[in-house]
């Protein structure tokens, strides 16, 4: 449910943009031309946001690079308050995607495996993500996250497989930090404050450039899974996409993402957390086996992914 790499039709790309959670992420990915993306990173990112990242600061936390690589002493122990990734945890989200006035049922199942994958020298946690539109499987994805020594969670890449009419239809939008110009970014801050802004990732090959900004803290929010206090409210945009609108996300302490909404845009996704549980035994083993299967296929069919180490 996360990202793509390589050529896809504009119609297909736009349809799927409104269907991604973010990793949770995951999340709706808004479109822009790669030449434009390349030009925007040459100017201060704050110009695209129109406001400072934190009071007294004009910085937006950029994507990772060799010159600003964080320290990762225990990267797979992801216990961030607003985005915990304990192996075996599974979240189920349900809602709709609305385009041209028509709404389609949408479901995402996001499961943390016990497996890891080394990317750009950092051991990451592997998450298995399944995306259904109107009851039909549309995408299966492996996503890779790591927590730095400051407690921030970083996106390190995605291997998404696409499906059409229930059949495998390729994996054209793979991206991995450190390969083919891809640069991962922050998925969740350690101590978010209103006004903080950060780049989630920059991948010119697939026109991916998302920026998130903390809009509010301490909210109360109820979803089918329950009612939560001290909720964090984040707005996500692609600064140069004039039709993408704003995706809104609500994160609850010790739970993670509980609600996704939209403000404007030509494709609007609205989803809520329906259930959260922890898998054990055979159920968790089955998740790990599926992750290994997808990882092996990724090495066979993707030139980018084939450069990575196998999951372990």
């Amino acid at each position: 449910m996360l990202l793509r790499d390589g050529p896809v039709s504009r119609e297909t790309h736009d349809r799927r943009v409104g269907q991604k959670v973010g990793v949770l992420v995951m999340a709706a990915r808004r479109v822009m031309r790669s030449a434009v993306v390349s030009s925007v990173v040459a100017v201060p990112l704050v110009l695209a946001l129109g406001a400072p990242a934190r009071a007294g600061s004009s910085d937006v936390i950029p994507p990772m690079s060799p010159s600003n690589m964080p320290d990762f002493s225990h990267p797979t122990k992801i216990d961030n308050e607003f985005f915990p990734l304990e192996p075996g945890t599974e979240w189920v989200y349900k809602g709709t995607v609305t385009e041209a006035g028509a709404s389609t049922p949408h479901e995402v199942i996001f499961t943390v495996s016990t497996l890891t994958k080394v990317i750009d020298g950092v051991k990451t946690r592997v998450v298995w993500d399944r995306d259904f539109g109107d009851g039909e499987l549309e995408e299966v994805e492996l996503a890779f996250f790591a927590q730095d020594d400051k407690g921030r969670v970083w996106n390190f890449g995605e291997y998404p497989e696409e499906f059409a009419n229930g059949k495998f239809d390729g994996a054209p939008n793979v991206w991995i930090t450190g390969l083919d110009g891809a640069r991962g970014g922050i998925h969740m801050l350690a101590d978010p404050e209103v006004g903080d802004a950060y780049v989630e990732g920059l991948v010119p090959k697939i026109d991916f450039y998302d920026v998130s900004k903390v809009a509010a803290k301490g909210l109360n929010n109820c979803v089918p899974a329950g009612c939560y206090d001290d909720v964090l409210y984040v707005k996500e945009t692609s600064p140069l996409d004039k039709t993408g609108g704003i995706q809104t996300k609500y994160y609850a302490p010790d739970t993670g993402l509980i609600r996704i909404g939209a403000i404007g845009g030509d494709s609007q996704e609205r989803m809520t957390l329906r259930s959260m549980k922890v898998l054990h035994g055979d159920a968790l083993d089955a998740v790990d086996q599926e992750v290994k299967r997808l990882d092996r296929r990724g090495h066979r069919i993707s030139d980018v992914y084939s450069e990575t180490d196998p999951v372990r």
Side-chain angles (χ1 to χ4, degrees), residues 9-305:
S9 71
R10 185 74 174 195
E11 179 181 358
T12 298
H13 190 105
D14 288 348
R15 176 175 58 83
R16 289 189 172 125
V17 159
Q19 299 177 338
K20 310 304 155 196
V21 172
V23 155
L24 254 262
V25 117
M26 345 277 312
R29 304 298 192 190
R30 283 157 291 274
V31 182
M32 69 202 80
R33 306 314 323 153
S34 26
V36 179
V37 173
S38 299
S39 67
V40 75
V41 297
V43 300
L45 292 174
V46 71
L47 297 180
L49 289 170
R54 189 185 285 249
S57 169
S58 61
D59 293 333
V60 176
I61 301 175
M64 67 178 67
S65 70
S67 63
N68 73 350
M69 194 72 171
D71 293 324
F72 292 94
S73 299
H74 304 285
T76 59
K77 183 181 179 181
I78 302 177
D79 56 5
N80 181 289
E81 180 182 18
F82 292 105
F83 195 67
L85 293 180
E86 180 69 22
T89 309
E90 182 173 273
W91 295 260
V92 177
Y93 301 88
K94 292 186 179 182
T96 60
V97 173
T98 301
E99 295 177 300
S103 294
T104 302
H106 188 208
E107 179 180 10
V108 170
I109 304 174
F110 188 84
T111 311
V112 185
S113 77
T114 70
L115 302 173
T116 63
K117 189 179 190 70
V118 175
I119 295 176
D120 205 20
V122 176
K123 183 184 288 188
T124 68
R125 176 65 60 194
V126 185
V127 171
W128 180 41
D129 195 330
R130 287 165 287 170
D131 197 330
F132 300 86
D134 203 13
E136 183 176 282
L137 182 65
E138 293 185 337
E139 185 174 276
V140 176
E141 178 176 282
L142 301 182
F144 312 101
F145 300 94
Q147 183 169 300
D148 69 16
D149 291 357
K150 294 181 179 180
R152 302 173 298 184
V153 181
W154 292 78
N155 300 315
F156 270 76
E158 298 161 350
Y159 170 70
E161 294 188 346
E162 298 177 359
F163 290 78
N165 299 318
K167 295 182 179 180
F168 176 68
D169 195 35
N173 295 290
V174 180
W175 73 271
I176 299 293
T177 289
L179 297 178
D180 208 20
R183 298 166 61 187
I186 290 177
H187 191 83
M188 179 54 67
L189 298 169
D191 182 24
E193 296 291 344
V194 174
D196 285 352
Y198 48 94
V199 176
E200 292 191 22
L202 178 62
V203 190
K205 288 280 187 178
I206 57 171
D207 301 335
F208 168 47
Y209 172 51
D210 277 3
V211 179
S212 287
K213 185 175 182 179
V214 179
K217 293 178 62 177
L219 304 180
N220 300 317
N221 202 282
C222 290
V223 296
C227 291
Y228 300 88
D229 299 323
D230 297 321
V231 171
L232 181 72
Y233 175 40
V234 175
K235 292 182 177 180
E236 179 184 296
T237 62
S238 287
L240 298 184
D241 181 9
K242 304 304 182 183
T243 63
I246 298 172
Q247 186 175 53
T248 60
K249 297 180 181 179
Y250 296 79
Y251 296 88
D254 304 318
T255 299
L257 184 66
I258 61 169
R259 180 184 295 274
I260 293 174
I263 301 173
D266 50 7
S267 179
Q268 299 179 328
E269 180 183 42
R270 294 180 173 87
M271 302 186 71
T272 54
L273 178 65
R274 300 305 175 98
S275 66
M276 176 183 174
K277 63 183 178 181
V278 179
L279 306 178
H280 300 282
D282 291 345
L284 185 53
D285 288 343
V287 170
D288 287 348
Q289 291 305 312
E290 185 63 20
V291 168
K292 291 177 180 178
R293 185 186 70 82
L294 291 172
D295 184 69
R296 289 193 296 268
R297 182 152 71 182
H299 279 88
R300 293 197 304 271
I301 68 174
S302 169
D303 291 340
V304 171
Y305 200 76

